Amino acid sequence: MDWQLTRAVSEFLDEAGEFLLADRCSNTVLLTVTEALRATGTVPAAAELPPLFGWWRPDGAAVRGAFLHTPPHPVLLTALPPAAGADLAGLLAADRRPLAGVNGEEETANAFAEVWRDRTGQDARVFRRHRLFRLGELSWPEPRPDGLARPATADDRDLLIEWFDAFSRDVGEPVRGSAGAVDDRLSYEGITIWEAG
């Protein structure tokens, strides 16, 4: 079998880390989430199931794809041939792993969704399309804004929860309560805020 699955983030990064780092831009979310899990060694309080990770190594060759699933979020795929995405959907459906959706390149996500629909009977539809933009050149605005960046602290918790929930509403996602996500990030200074005045 070309897919290997694990619940251990360290094993995942040992096997797929080099592949992910080779295209940091496209794999930014996978790298960010796995680093947060590795750094804290804990699963966010909002998690419904433990995270699941996997890498695709066709015919025993080098890793050529990966995924992560951190419930309640959709499964997240790297760039993959559609057939590999379809195979993964079959594996996860056979395991009866509940999914809220799939995020990935359109052709691969569609192949995954088609197999998922066939195996589980659940409906699948396009919910949102994303595009990743690369910053070409960073320059300070003139005049520079007042204030400074600083790591968020427990004193900022209520405001951050309010902001996280507002963001979910603004982008059309269910508001599940952001306390767990905020607490998790605060535990390792994972939120930076801009403070003025």
Side-chain angles (χ1 to χ4, degrees):
M1 181 178 295
D2 295 336
W3 279 103
Q4 298 294 314
L5 308 181
T6 184
R7 295 192 192 290
V9 69
S10 58
E11 181 184 8
F12 175 70
L13 291 173
D14 286 346
E15 296 292 337
E18 186 176 330
F19 166 79
L20 296 172
L21 289 169
D23 188 358
R24 288 179 171 102
C25 186
S26 296
N27 298 323
T28 186
V29 175
L30 272 148
L31 289 165
T32 302
V33 171
T34 54
E35 177 57 20
L37 290 170
R38 188 201 61 75
T40 63
T42 61
V43 176
E48 298 165 357
L49 287 172
L52 183 65
F53 312 93
W55 56 95
W56 181 64
R57 191 186 303 267
D59 301 321
V63 172
R64 293 192 34 225
F67 85 93
L68 68 77
H69 182 222
T70 52
H73 305 289
V75 66
L76 176 59
L77 310 174
T78 64
L80 288 168
D87 288 347
L88 177 61
L91 283 173
L92 297 179
D95 193 38
R96 300 184 184 276
R97 188 161 180 96
L99 298 182
V102 58
N103 291 331
E105 291 182 337
E106 185 172 9
E107 191 177 3
T108 304
N110 286 340
F112 182 102
E114 184 177 331
V115 169
W116 185 260
R117 183 177 34 244
D118 291 347
R119 300 280 179 91
T120 67
Q122 292 179 325
D123 188 28
R125 62 180 171 74
V126 174
F127 177 68
R128 181 180 301 123
R129 296 183 193 281
H130 291 268
R131 177 172 290 168
L132 185 62
F133 291 92
R134 183 185 301 261
L135 177 64
E137 184 178 329
L138 183 61
S139 58
W140 283 101
E142 288 298 333
R144 289 188 182 192
D146 291 335
L148 294 170
R150 68 165 174 82
T153 68
D155 292 339
D156 303 305
R157 183 177 185 271
D158 291 342
L159 178 62
L160 292 169
I161 291 169
E162 183 181 322
W163 285 351
F164 274 49
D165 288 347
F167 177 81
S168 293
R169 281 191 297 277
D170 287 351
V171 299
E173 292 185 356
V175 178
R176 294 186 173 99
S178 301
V182 168
D183 291 341
D184 177 52
R185 287 168 176 83
L186 287 174
S187 73
Y188 60 91
E189 294 188 343
I191 302 175
T192 301
I193 61 175
W194 190 269
E195 188 170 58

